[in-house]
Amino acid sequence: MAAITKKTTIGEVLSRDLDTAKFFMEIGMHCLGCPASQGESIEEACMVHGTNADELVAKLNAFLGE
């Protein structure tokens, strides 16, 4: 599978492994069940929540073994 990027949607990440939800929750993204959040890119979500998208992408890729 391709590595996660800032353009990857939250829905795509969660569909690969639901255990990735913990990384979103850790940075304050508690809206994972909202249909709108599923179509948001990691970059968009991090901008809204004031977090660093590059750091989140790195954590997700490390967790998924990419």
Side-chain angles (χ1 to χ4, degrees):
M1 282 190 177
I4 302 295
T5 70
K6 292 190 288 189
K7 301 297 182 194
T8 305
T9 65
I10 293 172
E12 291 170 327
V13 175
L14 293 173
S15 71
R16 285 176 63 174
D17 190 331
L18 280 177
D19 288 336
T20 58
K22 65 184 173 189
F23 296 103
F24 294 105
M25 299 296 274
E26 285 173 358
I27 60 174
M29 292 183 192
H30 300 139
C31 54
L32 297 178
C34 173
S37 73
Q38 298 296 305
E40 246 183 348
S41 71
I42 292 172
E43 184 174 43
E44 292 167 331
C46 284
M47 188 176 2
V48 169
H49 290 277
T51 59
N52 186 305
D54 292 318
E55 288 178 12
L56 179 56
V57 166
K59 286 180 182 181
L60 291 168
N61 281 317
F63 177 78
L64 294 170
E66 301 292 9

